């Protein structure tokens, strides 16, 4: 992943030297250990969710590393940053992950009509991405 992200950055910089390049990380899919496992408890254990969170965090760290090592006009947009709409919690402390029973979740769960959209940002999640990217552009 590091090499792929670096290559994309290099190509963009070569074709548009003055462009501001923003790479976004992926928002949290599963709750952290100790949080409610919501709808995911029927098919994943807490350990499995922690394992997937580790993989996701490693992926985001790899993207960040590639972005920071290419410098210049390249920035990482962190969905985990303080103030990010992805990090808002319900009154009961639930996050907006794919397992949440909270009606404001930003990620699709497994029970979506289109299986290819499972575990991806839903409409609210896309609006959150718009907001965090827009805040970095203007």
């Amino acid at each position: 992943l590091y090499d792929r992200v670096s290559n994309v950055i290099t190509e963009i910089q070569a074709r548009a030297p003055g462009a501001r390049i923003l790479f976004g990380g992926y928002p949290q899919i599963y709750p952290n250990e100790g949080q409610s496992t919501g709808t995911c408890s029927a098919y994943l254990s807490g350990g499995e969710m922690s394992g997937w969170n580790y993989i996701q965090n490693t992926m985001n760290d790899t993207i960040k590393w590639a972005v920071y090592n290419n410098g210049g006009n390249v920035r990482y947009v962190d969905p985990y940053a303080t103030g990010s709409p992805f990090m808002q919690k319900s009154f009961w402390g639930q996050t907006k992950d794919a397992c949440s029973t909270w009606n404001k979740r930003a990620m699709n769960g497994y029970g979506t009509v289109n299986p290819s959209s499972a575990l991806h940002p839903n409409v609210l999640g896309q609006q959150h991405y718009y907001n965090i990217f827009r805040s970095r552009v203007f």
Side-chain angles (χ1 to χ4, degrees), residues 34-49:
Q35 292 179 320
S36 169
T37 56
T39 61
C40 293
S41 62
Y43 51 87
L44 289 174
S45 70
E48 289 169 319
M49 287 184 245

Side-chain angles (χ1 to χ4, degrees), residues 7-8 15 17 23 40 42-43 45 57 64 77 81 103 106 125-127 135:
N7 289 339
V8 168
R15 295 176 190 197
F23 269 84
C40 293
Y43 51 87
S45 70
N57 289 331
K64 272 190 251 186
V77 179
N103 67 353
Q126 294 300 329
Q127 290 171 343
S135 72

Side-chain angles (χ1 to χ4, degrees), residues 2-51:
Y2 178 89
D3 291 338
R4 288 180 179 187
V5 172
S6 293
N7 289 339
V8 168
I9 292 169
T10 300
E11 285 296 316
I12 293 171
Q13 288 172 328
R15 295 176 190 197
R20 182 180 306 172
I21 305 167
L22 302 174
F23 269 84
Y26 209 81
Q28 185 168 346
I29 298 172
Y30 296 110
N32 291 322
E33 197 163 332
Q35 292 179 320
S36 169
T37 56
T39 61
C40 293
S41 62
Y43 51 87
L44 289 174
S45 70
E48 289 169 319
M49 287 184 245
S50 293

